[in-house]
Amino acid sequence: VNETILKMDKIESANYGEHTINTLISVFDLVEKATMVVVIALIFVTAFLITNTIKLTIYSRKNEIEIMRLVGASNTAIKLPFVFEGFIIGIMGSLIPVIVTIYGYIIAYEKLHGHIITNLIRLINPYNFVFYVSLIVIGMGALIGMFGSLRAVRKYLKI
């Protein structure tokens, strides 16, 4: 559009805010990268906390685990309750972000009338979007819980 306008007679220059748009794009790129770093850091912290929780559970149940070994329980039978516990911890830990996502986004969408600052930045309709994000968060919580649990079981049960 800018080039077409510049080709018109008696037009010397056209200003469409290129510098502002480039600045806005670079800010969005920076925010995206920072968000990814924070999310990855939180995933590792969550896995670490779940690993420590399962480690404490293993230490508190040392006698039961020894009895299970003595009566001939398989390694899977010993590991499975801890993996399931990590799964449950991950799901329970993801419930708070899911509730905040559902209610927070819907409230923000309604208060901001579907856009941020100007009509250029429109928010996605929350009613399908929020539930897909919630499913992803619950799934990630369950997987991170199972990963942290498996890590603890492998390291501290020495099976």
Side-chain angles (χ1 to χ4, degrees), residues 6 9 18 65 72 74-75 82 98 128-130 142 150-151:
L6 287 174
D9 292 337
E18 178 181 12
I65 293 169
S74 68
N75 290 340
F82 296 108
V98 164
N128 287 330
F129 172 70
V130 172
L150 281 171
R151 193 170 143 219

Side-chain angles (χ1 to χ4, degrees), residues 2-81:
N2 188 42
E3 291 175 12
T4 305
I5 291 173
L6 287 174
K7 291 179 184 176
M8 293 179 178
D9 292 337
K10 298 181 182 180
I11 302 291
E12 291 181 17
S13 67
N15 184 3
Y16 62 93
E18 178 181 12
H19 179 67
T20 304
I21 291 171
N22 288 337
T23 303
L24 190 61
I25 289 172
S26 58
V27 166
F28 282 149
D29 288 342
L30 181 66
V31 168
E32 180 183 14
K33 289 175 185 171
T35 302
M36 290 302 289
V37 168
V38 169
V39 166
I40 290 169
L42 288 174
I43 286 172
F44 282 115
V45 167
T46 302
F48 175 74
L49 290 173
I50 291 174
T51 299
N52 283 339
T53 303
I54 299 299
K55 180 176 85 169
L56 290 171
T57 304
I58 289 170
Y59 282 131
S60 69
R61 296 183 186 163
K62 230 175 181 72
N63 291 335
E64 291 90 352
I65 293 169
E66 190 61 35
I67 291 170
M68 289 173 74
R69 284 187 179 150
L70 290 173
V71 296
S74 68
N75 290 340
T76 305
I78 296 172
K79 288 180 187 179
L80 201 57

Side-chain angles (χ1 to χ4, degrees), residues 67-135:
I67 291 170
M68 289 173 74
R69 284 187 179 150
L70 290 173
V71 296
S74 68
N75 290 340
T76 305
I78 296 172
K79 288 180 187 179
L80 201 57
F82 296 108
V83 173
F84 186 70
E85 184 176 346
F87 176 79
I88 296 299
I89 290 171
I91 288 177
M92 286 177 18
S94 66
L95 288 179
I96 292 172
V98 164
I99 292 168
V100 169
T101 300
I102 290 172
Y103 291 110
Y105 190 79
I106 290 173
I107 290 170
Y109 185 83
E110 291 172 358
K111 293 276 186 197
L112 298 172
H113 305 292
H115 60 275
I116 299 176
I117 301 169
T118 67
N119 284 332
L120 292 175
I121 305 173
R122 300 222 23 104
L123 296 173
I124 298 172
N125 188 353
Y127 296 103
N128 287 330
F129 172 70
V130 172
F131 297 111
Y132 291 133
V133 169
S134 298
L135 287 175

Side-chain angles (χ1 to χ4, degrees), residues 136-157:
I136 291 170
V137 168
I138 289 173
M140 284 182 63
L143 288 175
I144 293 169
M146 288 173 54
F147 169 75
S149 177
L150 281 171
R151 193 170 143 219
V153 167
R154 259 187 280 147
K155 188 173 181 181
Y156 297 104
L157 275 182

